Amino acid sequence: MSTPSPAAGPPTGPVRVALVGTGNIARFHAEALRSLPEQAEIVAAVDVDTEALSAFRSRFAVPAGYTDLTEMLDRERPELVHVCTPPGLHRSQVEACLGAGASVLVEKPPALSLAEAEKMAAAEGGERGPWMATVFQHRFGSGARRVRALAEAGVLGRPLVAACHTTWFRPQEYFDVPWRGRWETEGGGPTMGHGIHQMDLLLSLLGEWTEVSAVARRQARDIETEDVSLARVDFAGGAVASVVNSLVSPQEESRIRIDFERATVELVHLYGYGDDNWRITPAPGYEDEVTAAWEGGEWGTDSGHRAQVSQVLAALRGGTAPPVTSAESLRTMRLVAGVYASAFQGRPVTPADLGPESPFHTRMDGGGVRW
Ligand SMILES: NC(=O)c1ccc[n+]([C@@H]2O[C@H](COP(=O)([O-])OP(=O)(O)OC[C@H]3O[C@@H](n4cnc5c(N)ncnc54)[C@H](O)[C@@H]3O)[C@@H](O)[C@H]2O)c1
């Protein structure tokens, strides 16, 4: 039997999926794929750690295992590869997959720098793919989709002020994993590695950012990167937001709050949300209109890998670029780079300041931070 060619157009049956990296997060990918048998089949997994690979293959009944990505791509010709390795490997692995004609769903952060992310986007195949999508699973719960729909329909009025806080706790031992806490391998601290999820969600709700003014600190952990950052972000739509990213907060929480003219929308959760994590408070005079639109919106989908993976598979089967697209993930990466550039240069930064001439284009630390 001949193996289908990924270049042959949209998949006609279940998408042939491979995973590279079988560590912590790969489990969420495999569970999501297994729960969507009509949309996807897992054909292979790749890991340099043969024990991790073998345990993963047994647990998820993966038919083929490889220690080399290129060999897997040659032999299996997957249509989609989920890249679940540490961030320092993403660029070369994503480019290898795209070069072999396979679309990619890469874990966040998609790359270590804007320069890398732009090169990866340039390796996509254009209108017919293959494409690169990034995992930002918080966009895909029904709560976020409902807020976006109401905002787009004009029910909420203009966004005015917002808060986006990712205040988590990671003890020093968390950084014993060799790639964590280092600019070279993780690309940054909680701004790049943790708060990026909520910053992406905020951008998906508020649109283009225009200026950021930030500070970054090492408050408590013995690591190369920051363990705390705080930023003020302006948006083209007129809103201003406070963004806090922390790994030193014993009472852990992920919080987004947006005050629109006609309602406050709030999300409080930790690593993922359901409908119950969202609350809306209409402004006086708008109770009936806002409540009716809220109750009539989309409900029933938790945020998480399954919600995003099902959208990725549907897009591929429909022959369109899967979400979150390279352009959208670049916008989020640009805000991360803007936070670091502003914090380490001590001045406000706009997206236009982050072009190839900026040292923060090639490295999130701008080539060296003296704390
Ligand atoms: N979306 C989320 O909520 C979320 C949560 C946690 C982690 N992540 C991201 O997922 C990625 C992986 O994180 P993790 O916690 O699963 O890491 P991990 O260290 O648990 O797993 C990484 C795996 O990659 C394997 N690997 C290393 N080099 C390889 C190579 N050259 N080829 C093939 N496999 C290789 C390792 O052996 C390991 O099994 C990171 O980018 C991280 O930021 C995302």
Side-chain angles (χ1 to χ4, degrees), residues 20-26 46-49 52 67 83-87 89-90 93 107-109 135 137 177 179-180 186 193 197 305:
V20 51
T22 60
N24 290 322
I25 206 63
V46 183
D47 202 303
V48 288
D49 177 340
T67 53
V83 174
C84 306
T85 48
L89 297 168
H90 290 179
Q93 292 182 334
E107 266 297 347
K108 61 84 214 159
V135 177
Q137 70 266 26
V177 175
W179 59 268
R180 294 198 194 279
E186 195 167 16
H197 279 298
H305 283 74

